[in-house]
């Protein structure tokens, strides 16, 4: 199997699994229990918290553990919104291509009378700080812009955004789920007020994430109940998951320079070779993108059939076509960067990890052009494009 | 498993892919905006569909339903081909996931569009009410905009292939021309198939 959907989820590192096992076995104590056996669990949770804080240049008291990126996004946004309501500020600024965990939360708030401005992301998939400056108003209570996009991997000007928000006194949250463990993040330097992260995107376990929130930023619990996570997130701590998250994060940061160097080389090879396919186009900025992200549209074909054929060859990938999203519209990210529907349907996303090899990439380079050609031969859309009955877009 | 074995078979080994240069009828349905277009070519002799080929832009279900649809009508008299429903296609494929059923509707419409084109080319009279304009929009537009009164007024027997040229304009027309009598059939069929 050639696994190229690491933006979807990643394989756990062996050392991470090893670190988790005791807490799935003999060390089953509840971290909130008084007796020694429970206190052992408490220790490792707090150790993990310290580690995560260090990795982000944050303080221990600024990290709470959640069930993942979606929960962290929800909690961050709902908290800022609630605080905004208390202060009479009901305007939020976000971007057009956020993850659905952010977008759907914002849609919910719009129903509750919030006004949301979605900044355009232009063809290169990057928000412009001038647009942000223009959009901030007196009643803006939150700016939430993702660190790096999951579909096309483009990296946003987070430090600049943070600086502007700090100057204007607006809370800045970033969904950094795709960026943590892949790019250097310093919440202090970048003036980030809240940040979401998820372990299974950097070789940690699924079902656990964290929310960073700067001291002083109000965070209200999404989940009511016990006093865990300093009364901000009820529920018995997922000790094994938390240990796995911290172990994975520390390892990812340590290996980052080397891993990124390797992945960049492989990603660039994929881009340069697969660009040779006629009427293909890279999605998003060529330079400001994650080292692991390849996203391309092929005119005249549809993504799900492409993925099924790749699956036949043992290659795991993803697409932004409607069929793969289960809805009738293709990826909102591709539409946001200006791809027409029919082109967005023909997209392919390959996302690497430190585990991928050049041999695997060579195999993909061999197989993809053949598959694209096969589907183009049977495509009435391609037929019209070639006959000039329909105009080529890319 | 996302798809049944039969669907995967028709997807991996689609039958009757290609075009017929001197086709007696060509039907093209669907919408690139939606991500599904089917084009069907038929050759007719003495009222029998002697040959059929298809080209499809679409997902696994779209390709499998196109392939199965061509198998179901090849060698059959036109009247029999007209009776093929989307449900028959789905059953022949041992079922489709509920959210993929619209692909089978397109397959049924492609057959009808090809036959309608054949009738028009050969100046054979037919009941226009039974056919969509040949460029049926995808299901969500069907459900959203479709009205029978408008369908009668605006449906123009145009060659299906020519319609494909300006998809945008046709989409607007198509949403109005597709008959809502089809809607109830579609819903019935989807409900039935969804039970699978």
């Amino acid at each position: 199997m050639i696994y190229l959907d690491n933006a979807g989820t990643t394989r756990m590192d062996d050392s991470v699994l090893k670190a988790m096992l005791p807490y799935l076995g003999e060390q089953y104590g509840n971290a909130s229990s008084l007796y020694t056996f429970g206190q052992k669990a408490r220790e490792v949770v707090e150790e993990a918290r310290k580690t995560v804080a260090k990795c982000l240049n944050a303080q221990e008291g600024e990290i709470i553990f959640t069930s993942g990126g979606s929960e962290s996004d929800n909690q961050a946004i709902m908290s800022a919104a609630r605080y905004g309501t208390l202060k009479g500020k009901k305007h939020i600024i976000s971007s057009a291509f956020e993850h659905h965990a952010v977008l759907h939360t914002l849609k919910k708030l719009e129903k509750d009378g919030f006004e949301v401005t979605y900044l355009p992301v232009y063809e290169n998939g990057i928000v412009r700080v001038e647009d942000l400056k223009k959009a901030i108003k007196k009643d803006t209570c939150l700016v939430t812009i993702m660190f790096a996009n999951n579909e096309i991997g483009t990296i946003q000007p987070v430090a600049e955004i943070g600086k502007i928000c700090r100057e204007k006194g607006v809370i800045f949250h970033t969904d950094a789920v795709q960026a943590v463990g892949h790019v250097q993040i310093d919440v202090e330097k970048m003036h980030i007020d809240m940040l979401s992260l998820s372990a299974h995107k950097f070789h940690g376990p699924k079902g656990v994430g964290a929310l960073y929130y700067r001291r002083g930023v109000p965070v209200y619990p999404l989940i009511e109940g016990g006093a865990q996570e300093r009364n901000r997130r009820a529920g018995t701590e997922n000790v094994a998951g938390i240990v796995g998250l911290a172990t994975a994060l520390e390892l990812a940061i340590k290996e980052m320079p080397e891993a990124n160097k390797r992945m960049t080389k492989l990603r660039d090879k994929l881009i340069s070779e697969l660009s040779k396919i006629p009427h293909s186009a890279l999605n998003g900025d060529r330079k400001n993108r994650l080292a692991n992200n390849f996203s391309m549209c092929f005119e005249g074909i549809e993504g799900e059939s492409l993925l099924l054929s790749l699956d036949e060859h043992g290659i795991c990938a993803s697409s932004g076509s409607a069929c793969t999203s289960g809805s009738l519209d293709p990826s909102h990210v591709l539409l946001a960067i200006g791809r027409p529907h029919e082109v967005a349907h023909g997209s392919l996303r390959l996302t690497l990890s430190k585990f991928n090899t050049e041999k695997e990439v060579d195999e993909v380079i061999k197989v993809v052009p053949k598959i694209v050609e096969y589907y183009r031969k049977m495509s009435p859309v391609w037929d019209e494009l070639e006959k000039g009955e329909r105009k080529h877009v890319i | 498993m996302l798809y049944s074995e039969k669907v995967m078979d028709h997807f991996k080994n689609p039958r009757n892919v290609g075009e017929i240069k001197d086709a007696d009828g060509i039907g093209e349905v669907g919408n690139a905006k939606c991500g599904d277009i089917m084009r069907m070519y038929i050759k007719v002799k003495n009222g029998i569909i002697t040959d059929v080929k298809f080209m499809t832009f679409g997902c696994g279900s779209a390709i499998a339903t196109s392939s199965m649809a061509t198998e179901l009508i090849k060698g059959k008299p036109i009247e029999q081909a007209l009776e093929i429903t989307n449900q028959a296609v789905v059953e022949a494929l041992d079922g489709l996931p509920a959210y993929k059923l619209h692909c089978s509707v397109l397959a049924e419409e492609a057959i009808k569009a090809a036959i309608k084109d054949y009738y028009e080319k050969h100046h054979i009279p037919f009941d226009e009410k039974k056919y969509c304009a040949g460029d049926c929009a995808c299901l969500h537009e069907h459900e959203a905009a479709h009205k029978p009164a408008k369908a009668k007024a605006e449906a123009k027997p145009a060659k299906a292939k020519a319609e494909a040229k300006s998809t945008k304009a046709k989409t607007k027309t198509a949403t109005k021309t597709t008959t809502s009598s089809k809607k109830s059939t579609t819903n019935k069929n989807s409900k039935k198939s969804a039970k699978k």
Side-chain angles (χ1 to χ4, degrees):
Chain A
M1 182 182 78
I2 298 175
Y3 187 76
L4 285 169
D5 189 28
N6 290 282
T9 194
T10 60
R11 181 203 172 119
M12 276 213 304
D13 202 278
D14 286 342
S15 63
V16 172
L17 181 57
K18 196 166 164 215
M20 288 173 70
L21 281 174
Y23 307 98
L24 294 168
E26 291 207 353
Q27 299 298 329
Y28 58 85
N30 184 323
S32 300
S33 302
L34 183 60
Y35 39 79
T36 315
F37 186 55
Q39 288 305 302
K40 272 197 190 161
R42 170 56 56 204
E43 264 172 52
V44 295
V45 168
E46 296 313 312
E47 234 354 273
R49 200 185 308 276
K50 241 192 223 143
T51 302
V52 173
K54 196 167 122 228
C55 288
L56 299 172
N57 193 23
Q59 292 173 21
E60 281 167 66
E62 296 174 329
I63 306 286
I64 55 172
F65 293 111
T66 63
S67 65
S70 298
E71 186 188 329
S72 300
D73 281 342
N74 270 259
Q75 187 165 13
I77 294 168
M78 294 305 290
S79 291
R82 179 159 157 193
Y83 186 67
T85 306
L86 291 172
K87 297 283 170 184
K89 294 182 178 185
K90 291 186 90 172
H91 176 238
I92 297 173
I93 299 170
S94 187
S95 83
F97 66 5
E98 298 293 311
H99 187 273
H100 283 144
V102 167
L103 286 180
H104 292 180
T105 308
L106 292 173
K107 285 271 171 267
K108 184 167 87 170
L109 289 170
E110 279 178 307
K111 288 202 183 113
D112 284 340
F114 272 81
E115 186 204 341
V116 182
T117 301
Y118 298 95
L119 299 178
V121 293
Y122 304 94
E123 207 192 321
N124 66 346
I126 299 178
V127 302
R128 294 186 188 165
V129 289
E130 308 86 68
D131 291 339
L132 172 65
K133 279 187 191 146
K134 283 193 209 136
I136 292 184
K137 301 193 284 189
K138 284 207 177 81
D139 64 340
T140 305
C141 63
L142 171 70
V143 167
T144 173
I145 293 173
M146 64 199 324
F147 205 115
N149 183 270
N150 51 309
E151 180 83 39
I152 60 179
T154 49
I155 301 169
Q156 307 307 304
V158 171
E160 285 180 70
I161 295 170
K163 186 159 171 267
I164 293 167
C165 291
R166 189 58 57 83
E167 282 167 8
K168 303 276 185 173
V170 179
I171 294 173
F172 171 41
H173 163 258
T174 181
D175 171 354
V177 165
Q178 293 289 335
V180 169
H182 300 284
V183 297
Q184 292 292 353
I185 299 180
D186 184 325
V187 295
E188 279 297 319
K189 281 210 187 99
M190 294 173 167
H191 299 115
I192 297 171
D193 297 313
M194 290 198 280
L195 179 148
S196 308
L197 66 96
S198 178
H200 76 105
K201 306 291 189 184
F202 48 86
H203 306 290
K206 294 176 192 43
V208 62
L211 172 63
Y212 151 79
Y213 62 98
R214 169 176 306 280
R215 57 218 165 277
V217 169
V219 166
Y220 305 98
L222 211 55
I223 299 174
E224 299 285 356
Q228 292 91 349
E229 297 305 283
R230 268 166 278 116
N231 283 297
R232 283 167 172 83
R233 199 269 184 188
T236 303
E237 295 89 342
N238 175 0
V239 180
I242 289 166
V243 168
L245 187 158
T247 311
L249 183 54
E250 202 172 33
L251 183 63
I253 306 256
K254 181 165 146 237
E255 295 184 335
M256 206 191 289
E258 186 54 46
N260 278 357
K261 202 163 139 216
R262 275 192 63 243
M263 284 193 286
T264 302
K265 213 170 134 232
L266 296 178
R267 175 202 72 182
D268 291 349
K269 192 172 188 187
L270 281 168
I271 293 176
S272 69
E273 289 304 305
L274 295 179
S275 295
K276 292 180 182 165
I277 298 173
H279 301 288
S280 64
L282 185 71
N283 296 312
D285 198 79
R286 178 65 185 83
K287 275 222 194 90
N288 289 305
R289 71 188 302 127
L290 294 172
N292 68 0
N293 182 294
F294 165 98
S295 169
M296 202 172 263
C297 283
F298 301 106
E299 207 173 14
I301 61 162
E302 189 277 333
E304 194 209 85
S305 40
L306 178 54
L307 295 186
L308 288 173
S309 289
L310 285 171
D311 189 35
E312 272 186 85
H313 286 88
I315 299 168
C316 306
S318 141
S319 165
S321 79
C323 293
T324 54
S325 70
S327 81
L328 288 161
D329 278 322
S331 150
H332 64 288
V333 174
L334 297 177
L335 294 178
I337 62 168
R339 295 281 183 235
H341 281 67
E342 46 274 26
V343 172
H345 285 303
S347 65
L348 175 66
R349 181 186 77 175
L350 304 169
T351 43
L352 302 149
S353 83
K354 63 183 183 181
F355 295 122
N356 292 114
T357 64
E358 186 159 14
K359 195 166 165 224
E360 290 177 331
V361 163
D362 287 340
E363 175 67 19
V364 170
I365 288 167
K366 205 176 81 190
V367 157
V368 168
K370 290 193 189 139
I371 297 175
V372 170
E373 202 193 321
Y374 170 76
Y375 286 112
R376 279 179 168 167
K377 273 212 186 91
M378 74 156 83
S379 162
V381 176
W382 183 250
D383 187 48
E384 285 170 20
L385 288 165
E386 290 292 270
K387 287 190 177 142
E389 291 166 16
R390 187 195 280 262
K391 216 174 146 209
H392 276 292
V393 173
I394 56 174
Chain B
M1 257 291 39
L2 176 65
Y3 291 131
S4 72
E5 262 185 58
K6 272 227 182 102
V7 172
M8 285 313 288
D9 177 35
H10 275 265
F11 167 69
K12 290 182 192 176
N13 311 294
R15 296 36 165 175
N16 306 310
V17 179
E19 48 179 346
I20 301 175
K21 297 280 180 188
D22 56 344
D24 292 317
I26 304 173
E28 185 164 322
V29 294
N31 189 314
K33 197 171 177 223
C34 253
D36 267 320
I37 294 192
M38 286 181 199
R39 189 195 288 168
M40 212 168 268
Y41 304 82
I42 54 173
K43 270 217 86 66
V44 182
K45 199 171 178 184
N46 301 324
I48 308 271
I49 297 173
T50 54
D51 196 11
V52 53
K53 291 258 187 278
F54 83 90
M55 289 179 81
T56 287
F57 165 93
C59 61
S61 298
I63 292 171
T65 51
S66 304
S67 168
M68 180 54 85
T70 61
E71 291 265 274
L72 291 176
I73 67 171
K74 196 170 186 178
K76 300 271 171 26
I78 290 190
E79 296 73 39
Q80 232 185 302
L82 283 172
E83 280 166 17
I84 305 277
T85 61
N86 73 309
Q87 206 202 347
V89 178
V90 172
E91 273 173 10
L93 286 169
D94 291 339
L96 280 177
Y99 61 93
K100 292 289 189 182
L101 288 171
H102 66 278
C103 296
S104 65
V105 173
L106 274 186
E108 178 193 327
E109 288 173 350
I111 295 171
K112 294 192 160 72
I115 292 171
K116 180 167 177 261
D117 185 56
Y118 161 72
Y119 283 153
E120 284 166 1
K121 276 195 172 95
H122 293 81
H123 309 292
I124 300 168
F126 61 94
D127 183 359
E128 273 191 48
K129 275 184 284 194
K130 291 195 178 150
Y131 301 83
C132 54
D135 181 20
C136 295
C138 34
L139 209 62
H140 69 290
E141 286 180 352
H142 264 277
E143 283 163 355
H146 169 76
K147 287 189 167 70
K150 275 188 179 175
K152 243 186 169 174
E154 293 174 53
K156 277 200 166 100
K159 288 211 167 69
K161 202 172 181 199
E163 280 180 290
K165 277 187 193 173
S166 45
T167 322
K168 205 177 177 187
K170 294 300 174 280
T171 314
K172 286 196 184 135
T173 330
T175 54
K176 292 164 196 167
T177 54
T178 336
T179 50
S180 70
S181 54
K182 271 216 178 346
K183 190 181 171 183
S184 43
T185 332
T186 310
N187 289 339
K188 233 201 291 174
N189 286 335
S190 334
K191 275 189 190 147
K192 277 193 186 158
S193 311
K195 278 192 187 148
K196 289 194 165 137

